[in-house]
Amino acid sequence: MTPHPSSAAPQDEISSLESRLGEARAAIGRVIFGQDQVIDQSLITLLAGGHALLIGLPGLAKTRLVHTLGIVLGLDDKRVQFTPDLMPADILGSEVLEESAGGGRAFRFIKGPVFCQLLMADEINRAGPRTQSALLQAMQEHHVSVAGSRQDLPRPFHVLATQNPLEQEGTYPLPEAQLDRFLMQIDVGYPDFDAERRMLIDTTGALAAEPVRVMGADDLLAAQALVRRIPVGDAVVDAILTLVRQGRPESTSLDLVRRAVAWGPGPRAAQALMLATRARALLQGRLSPSVDDIRALAAPVLRHRMALGFAARADGITLAQVIEALEGTL
């Protein structure tokens, strides 16, 4: 196994946490129907200590998913609806001048909605670049600076941002360097027939299912620490590096990548895969990740870290086809 500075995670810790996570998954599944893969990938993102970009059409329960995650995991969650007139201070907070009863004046910092443990940035691409950058800096640094004063964010701190893939008029697409800050891009699709039928009956009746708390913030922090102690075999490390490096036109042996890809995944993609595969193993109660975990998570980790050239798009080549070819190298 690959050496790690921390001691390996014992089986009893993994088994105990896997049981709690199983309860959390079940609790979320009673409220969010037909999105098992989305739920798993969201939990993996949180276990890995990262942020996620949820891409899906309106009405697919993205907002409800984030709120449900907050309740089930015992996190303080907030929601910000991004609009073109939203300013950085509307998210981070600002200083106000107050006058005391004795006539003295002093500035007091009023915290913005970013001071929570789970923030939903709804339609993040509708806000201007300044506001996007303020949030994404908070995501990366885990603190904000207002009037020269540093304000630390709560722990844990996670952002689940949403985008509508169709309605792009009047939006400000996130730059590639900012997209790279998200551990995963989770695509949210339509539920199947049976799940949509259950949802239709449950949500239009007199009593709808409500989420219940299963874990707490301290439990999530302990799980995130445990994820980093899970050992990773050399074969898995090599597979991660192979997948990422094969996705770069400069170092690939795949003709499709050389022809189609304008720019490939950077080192942060390998880091994201390393943590995400460990988190998936923990979610399933396994002692260490496998190459199958890499295949399962390659698409959500890579799809927002790669771009196709104009000629490839004109020829109808998709990123899904490129990622499938990359998975074939493992």
Side-chain angles (χ1 to χ4, degrees):
M1 306 297 289
T2 298
H4 194 279
S6 302
S7 58
Q11 174 66 54
D12 57 344
E13 284 187 61
I14 292 177
S15 298
S16 173
L17 192 54
E18 188 265 340
S19 176
R20 299 285 300 279
L21 290 170
E23 294 177 27
R25 291 165 78 187
I28 298 168
R30 285 192 287 271
V31 180
I32 307 297
F33 304 103
Q35 300 288 3
D36 292 344
Q37 187 177 64
V38 172
I39 292 170
D40 282 355
Q41 291 178 1
S42 299
L43 285 172
I44 288 169
T45 299
L46 299 182
L47 288 171
H51 313 283
L53 186 62
L54 299 168
I55 306 291
L57 297 171
L60 295 180
K62 298 185 296 297
T63 302
R64 187 162 176 79
L65 170 63
V66 179
H67 182 60
T68 301
L69 281 167
I71 294 175
V72 171
L73 299 180
L75 304 177
D76 172 29
D77 68 291
K78 293 182 180 177
R79 174 175 176 263
V80 176
Q81 180 68 50
F82 277 58
T83 56
D85 59 348
L86 194 72
M87 300 300 292
D90 297 327
I91 298 175
L92 306 182
S94 59
E95 285 193 326
V96 296
L97 183 63
E98 291 187 331
E99 184 172 348
S100 66
R105 294 183 178 184
F107 284 100
R108 181 170 69 91
F109 177 66
I110 299 179
K111 294 181 178 180
V114 76
F115 286 88
C116 65
Q117 294 171 322
L118 183 62
L119 177 67
M120 179 173 190
D122 210 357
E123 294 191 285
I124 188 174
N125 58 331
R126 293 210 172 275
R130 285 182 60 199
T131 306
Q132 291 177 2
S133 298
L135 174 63
L136 291 161
Q137 183 181 16
M139 290 164 52
Q140 181 69 17
E141 306 296 337
H142 284 217
H143 69 261
V144 301
S145 295
V146 179
S149 176
R150 169 172 167 159
Q151 303 284 342
D152 292 324
L153 296 175
R155 294 185 67 243
F157 173 68
H158 300 280
V159 173
L160 298 184
T162 70
Q163 281 190 192
N164 179 348
L166 295 183
E167 193 178 345
Q168 297 299 319
E169 185 176 348
T171 63
Y172 303 84
L174 293 174
E176 288 76 13
Q178 295 181 352
L179 283 172
D180 200 27
R181 297 296 192 269
F182 290 96
L183 186 91
M184 287 193 199
Q185 176 186 312
I186 302 173
D187 287 350
V188 184
Y190 291 113
D192 60 28
F193 181 87
D194 292 336
E196 193 162 2
R197 188 178 190 276
R198 280 182 58 215
M199 178 192 67
L200 181 64
I201 294 172
D202 185 85
T203 58
T204 59
L207 296 174
E210 294 293 335
V212 296
R213 176 173 173 169
V214 174
M215 297 173 61
D218 290 340
D219 297 318
L220 180 58
L221 287 172
Q224 291 173 353
L226 186 61
V227 163
R228 290 179 176 269
R229 292 168 54 200
I230 291 177
V232 182
D234 289 335
V236 173
V237 175
D238 292 342
I240 289 173
L241 288 171
T242 297
L243 184 76
V244 171
R245 294 180 66 81
Q246 288 284 2
R248 301 169 186 164
E250 303 84 0
S251 58
T252 188
S253 62
L254 297 175
D255 181 62
L256 176 62
V257 173
R258 280 195 297 268
R259 289 188 295 107
V261 175
W263 50 267
R268 195 177 278 119
Q271 294 171 325
L273 268 173
M274 178 72 88
L275 288 171
T277 54
R278 283 170 160 167
R280 188 172 189 264
L282 176 61
L283 192 63
Q284 298 182 355
R286 289 181 280 113
L287 285 172
S288 62
S290 67
V291 174
D292 288 337
D293 293 315
I294 302 173
R295 293 192 181 98
L297 296 172
V301 169
L302 296 181
R303 58 169 64 112
H304 61 298
R305 293 185 165 98
M306 304 176 67
L308 298 177
F310 175 79
R313 296 196 302 271
D315 290 341
I317 297 175
T318 64
L319 267 179
Q321 293 172 333
V322 174
I323 294 173
E324 184 178 356
L326 291 174
E327 292 171 4
T329 64
L330 301 180

